[in-house]
Amino acid sequence: MKEMPDILWLEEIRKEDIPAVGGKGASLGEMSAIGLPVPRAFVVTSYAFRQFLVEAGLDKTIFADLAEVDVDNSVDLEKAATRAKDAVMKARIPALLKKKIKSAYEEMEDSRMVVAVRSSATAEDLPDASFAGQQETYLNVKGEKNLLFAIQKCWASLYGARAIYYRAKQGFDHQSVNIAVVIQQLVFSEKAGVMFTSHPVTGEQQSIIEGSWGLGEAVVSGSVSPDKYVFDQKSEKVVDRLIANKRYQIISSGENGTKTVEVRKDIQDAPLLTDDEVRKLAAFGKVAETHYGVPQDVEWGIVGDNIYILQSRPITTIRASAQATPPAETGTEKILLQGQGASPGIASGKVVIVRDVKDTGIVKDGDIMVTQMTNPDMVPAMRKVAAIVTDEGGMTCHAAIVSRELGTPAVVGTKTGTQVLRNGQTVTVDGEKGLIYEGALTISREKTRAVESIAAPVITATSVKVNVSMPEAAARAAATGADGVGLLRIEHLILGLNKTPGWFIANNREEEFIQELYRGIKTVLDAFYGKPVWVRTLDAPTDEFRNMAGGETEPIEHNPMLGWRGIRRDLQSADQFRLQVEAFKRLWEQGYDNLGIMFPMVSHPQEFIRAREMMKQWGVDVDNATLGVMIEIPSSAILIQDFINAGIRFASFGTNDLIQYTLAIDRNNQHVAGMYQPKHPAVLALIDSAIQCCRENGVEVSICGQAGSEPPMVKWLVEHGITSVSANIDAIAKIRETVARTEKQILLESARSRNA
Ligand code: PEP
Ligand code: MG
């Protein structure tokens, strides 16, 4: 390699500098040179990386090791990757290089020293090798120490299992692949997204722009459904506009990270871009495309009136003829599902629902892989399948990009693919039209165009969530298509350990307890990725702990049901509460923003306030955490306004207890079972007034007691304005139907009364 500087500023870079600054760096340099609004950046070159490898002696060890690996053996591959990454992370950055990086960073003063650090591999971003997510990106990096750490992480990412696998399969030699790192002023986009400067499937002269509120990561990762604008370059008009419900956004969390928060209600459904902004973006895109001579895949962000072009790389997969050969038609096509045609072609096969990368082991050649959203770990499986269907994402999500590159038909953003389609079911995927048909069909193009009515999935305005107690039931619960988890009872998880929380503390095995909790909850969060999961803090009565190790120290209570359980126990035994909070905290730190915490057995707002204060003391960002309460003691229903004033984000009726405490009927006592009435007028009065109060205050109000799995009660609840219900796994289908029917009846009746 010829001598090159360790650091290059964007202004010094041209597209021929790929060997030094990688595809991303070179592309940014070119963009800035042609006058596009690129945020300030410098690149730690591949030369600097090489020097680092050589000075640390890693060039000798790593490459020899990688040459031996059988990449099709995933255990070997993982081990080799871990060895290589560890070696990179442990090695020292040469002192002179460190100094140069620090002084370049200091020069970026106007960036408020907050930068994005992105790897820029010298083989990445090139035609035929654009595997999205292959290497690292760190947003919001602040301070020299964090910057150096992020750079080293980027270097290490060159030796991730995925990257090693791709290189081996694509015939790249590990030795000749280098990595540069781009350090760029972070633009705190108010809205952001991606743009294809020509249609990525047909190559037409259209700019396809997708965007959502907040930072662009949400759109790139496919974790939100973005707005989509199609700008026709000939007529210079916006010819298509799809405004999505943009409920969540990723924003800076102030420290070295980002967080997902709900978008302000009034702008969730508002168009993201004005026509003028679409036109300007398209114009910038065209400048880039013209300059590079090939259509570009551009990341953009907008702050106030300023448009920034954040990244640009060639679209690698526009084909002159994207049409699959239309086979003969049978005339019996039934459309099961619709989404966006992200990668053209028609394929039939057996559905395999992939909920987790672990499921990819069951994927066989020729299957139809159906998944919420693909991620880089799934790529080996994506290679095998005949077609890919995802619930989420747009034309630029991971699944779309990789499928196009693999030449695999794909339909993305079906919303309900993983619910509507069943494992083993034979379907036909049309990756151009975005349709999934029942059976192995032969379809003519005209016929698919002529199809007009598409079966709509059952969508209810009232969310229908599911109750989960054991993490192993999470997948089955998720398979119901529930809108989230309205109650995760963690005591089942803890009871399964056969030791009381006190035992773990007394035996100095706190970490073990935290880990068990963390793992169990994570299983559920993963199964419900992107959907709310309300985890309830410990609520086991003392008699249930009695027979476990440590049970001998549990107090003996005459009436455990009215005793030391729920939040009252946690507030008095801070150690036990702290261990639970530690597990929650780790999950939040891992980015599980779908985690909400629900306190059981609250009877006074002070209990909520105290619990939140304790969480805050233990380092939880309580202002941004979703914290709510169960309403299962009449006092909490009566004082609901005070709870709302105290800051609860949601409330959920625990009718199992609410009924027993309102009517003085032991829920477990068969002698009085006949008097245990969910629809007792006193119970309904408490519920009704609490619902109205929550609604007036914009607080989500739900039910997670057994009554939420009973159609007549659910009908009443929907009529009285409940915002969500959470039912048992087996009841989801009938509850969803009850909710849908009740909602329709309400609409019908209101239409009739208007006409009367
Ligand atoms: C309830 O009381 O309704 C409830 C859901 O909690 P549990 O059944 O666990 O007491
Ligand atoms: Mg209860």
Side-chain angles (χ1 to χ4, degrees), residues 467 487 489 491-492 536 539 561 565 598 600-601 630-632 652-658 660-661 667 676 703-707:
N467 297 337
L487 166 65
R489 292 177 165 101
E491 49 279 4
H492 291 263
R536 186 175 70 179
D539 184 20
M561 200 78 90
R565 56 177 283 206
M598 178 156 74
M601 298 290 292
M630 303 270 296
I631 304 179
E632 49 190 348
S652 181
F653 296 110
T655 41
N656 303 344
D657 282 319
L658 186 62
Q660 82 165 346
Y661 298 139
R667 64 194 252 192
Y676 186 87
I703 178 170
C704 57
Q706 179 61 28

Side-chain angles (χ1 to χ4, degrees), residues 324-330 346 441-445:
T325 319
E329 130 198 7
T330 65
I346 294 174
L441 293 188
T442 47
I443 304 158
S444 85
R445 196 65 33 208

Side-chain angles (χ1 to χ4, degrees), residues 722-744:
I722 199 148
T723 42
S724 65
V725 295
S726 189
N728 300 333
I729 297 177
D730 56 292
I732 293 295
K734 71 177 180 207
I735 292 307
R736 194 186 280 120
E737 194 192 319
T738 303
V739 170
R741 199 179 288 273
T742 311
E743 288 175 349
K744 285 209 173 84

Side-chain angles (χ1 to χ4, degrees), residues 127-149:
D128 297 319
S130 85
F131 284 95
Q134 190 177 339
Q135 269 101 23
E136 305 290 299
T137 291
Y138 296 91
L139 298 173
N140 253 357
V141 176
K142 201 172 173 188
E144 283 171 6
K145 209 165 134 236
N146 292 328
L147 172 66
L148 292 169
F149 180 74

Side-chain angles (χ1 to χ4, degrees), residues 57-205:
L58 298 178
D59 57 331
K60 305 220 168 52
T61 49
I62 290 183
F63 300 132
D65 195 18
L66 293 183
E68 302 291 305
V69 183
D70 168 11
V71 296
D72 289 314
N73 178 331
S74 56
V75 177
D76 276 7
L77 175 63
E78 275 300 337
K79 281 190 185 151
T82 307
R83 280 195 300 274
K85 283 189 294 186
D86 283 354
V88 171
M89 290 312 294
K90 284 195 188 119
R92 273 173 187 280
I93 302 179
L96 185 60
L97 176 60
K98 224 183 211 175
K99 212 169 132 208
K100 288 183 189 169
I101 295 172
K102 284 181 178 174
S103 71
Y105 180 54
E106 275 160 20
E107 262 189 74
M108 294 183 83
E109 251 159 26
D110 57 345
S111 69
R112 290 184 293 143
M113 310 300 271
V114 179
V115 293
V117 178
R118 298 176 203 269
S119 65
S120 178
T122 53
E124 188 202 16
D125 293 340
L126 301 180
D128 297 319
S130 85
F131 284 95
Q134 190 177 339
Q135 269 101 23
E136 305 290 299
T137 291
Y138 296 91
L139 298 173
N140 253 357
V141 176
K142 201 172 173 188
E144 283 171 6
K145 209 165 134 236
N146 292 328
L147 172 66
L148 292 169
F149 180 74
I151 291 171
Q152 218 158 343
K153 287 284 266 188
C154 285
W155 288 343
S157 74
L158 197 56
Y159 306 108
R162 295 192 296 271
I164 297 170
Y165 180 90
Y166 294 144
R167 284 199 291 275
K169 293 290 172 183
Q170 300 247 343
F172 287 114
D173 167 17
H174 297 299
Q175 290 234 37
S176 61
V177 177
N178 275 310
I179 193 161
V181 182
V182 178
I183 291 102
Q184 187 170 37
Q185 170 194 349
L186 189 69
V187 171
F188 293 97
S189 307
E190 289 155 6
K191 38 195 182 181
V194 291
M195 159 170 58
F196 284 140
T197 60
S198 292
H199 194 289
V201 174
T202 63
E204 279 169 88
Q205 292 284 293

Side-chain angles (χ1 to χ4, degrees), residues 325-338:
T325 319
E329 130 198 7
T330 65
T332 56
E333 299 86 350
K334 179 175 171 206
I335 295 173
L336 298 173
L337 205 58
Q338 187 186 29

